[in-house]
Amino acid sequence: MSVGTVVVLTGAGISAESGLSTFRGPDGLWEGHHVADVATPEAFTHDPVTVQRFYNRLRARLPAVTPNAAHHALVRLEHAMGTAFHLITQNIDDLHQRAGSTRITAMHGGLTMIRHVDTGDVLSWHGDLPENEQHWRPHVVWFGERTIGLDHITEMLSQAMLFLAIGTSGTVYPANQFAAIAKRAGATTIEVNLEATAGAFDFTLTGPATQVVPGLVERLIEGPLAALAVHGG
Ligand code: BJW
């Protein structure tokens, strides 16, 4: 039997209430930088010190923050849905993983990994990289680089019964296409955000993720998904 899946996409907004900055603040700056000055391969080639220092600062902040109620609720949904659940995150923090999510694709990489620029080897990494290091770089996806796991994501979206986007502005390709892809595949599409975005959503639930997501997850588990989990889990 073909079983529809639940696909959840998260962005920086889900981690905002854990104390991490979103990317596109009112001043257009991200941690005092224009995103393009630190999140491109060209920036790393021309000014590795600024880029390494920037990511060292972000990485050093991780131990001080913890997953919030929205991250934990998605773990409950994963447990209820089993293999019929998939989480895609654009976030490079590790809060979903620390909350306990396992069926996850981190499509923009992760701060706690580094990659060798020549061999492509990836290592787990929790400290600073030397600021003048040019062979090892943060394992994050910069503008113009290929996102991680896109074939798998496309496959998941084609089977989606429900697509839920949480805390993403929908300004960055290809994640900003996922709602439309899922909708074309027949999914109901819902976003949770402080404000409606331009994405292809059937419903917008406005409010902070920690207040909206736990209740939504409980309703999904008790309601229409309960039957699905029996078959898909
Ligand atoms: C709450 C909340 C609360 C707040 N509760 N909600 C022209 C030139 C060059 C490139 C392009 C171009 N046009 C298009 C492109 C492609 C480009 C792109 O999209 N650019 C646009 C910006 C113009 N995309 C790419 O380059 C991608 N790759 C690609 O296309 O590859 C093609 C390829 C194919 C084959 C071979 C090679 C290449 C890669 C994109 C990489 C994005 N990287 C970043 C940085 C990652 C590393 C790092 O973090 O340092 O990823 S950019 C940044 O934006 C980060 C995020 O993951 C991403 C998305 O941001 P997100 O999560 O949506 O955050 P915000 O801040 O924008 O929004 C937060 C939302 O939360 C808001 O809506 C709030 O309201 C809400 N919120 N608090 C609920 N409590």
Side-chain angles (χ1 to χ4, degrees), residues 49-93:
V49 170
T50 295
V51 175
Q52 295 286 18
R53 186 182 297 151
F54 176 76
Y55 285 97
N56 282 344
R57 226 176 58 211
L58 293 185
R59 198 181 295 111
R61 200 174 293 168
L62 289 182
V65 297
T66 52
N68 64 45
H71 297 101
H72 289 299
L74 293 179
V75 178
R76 287 197 293 281
L77 189 56
E78 175 178 330
H79 290 163
M81 296 295 302
T83 57
F85 175 87
H86 197 83
L87 174 61
I88 306 160
T89 188
Q90 298 168 87
N91 297 343
I92 61 170
D93 66 54

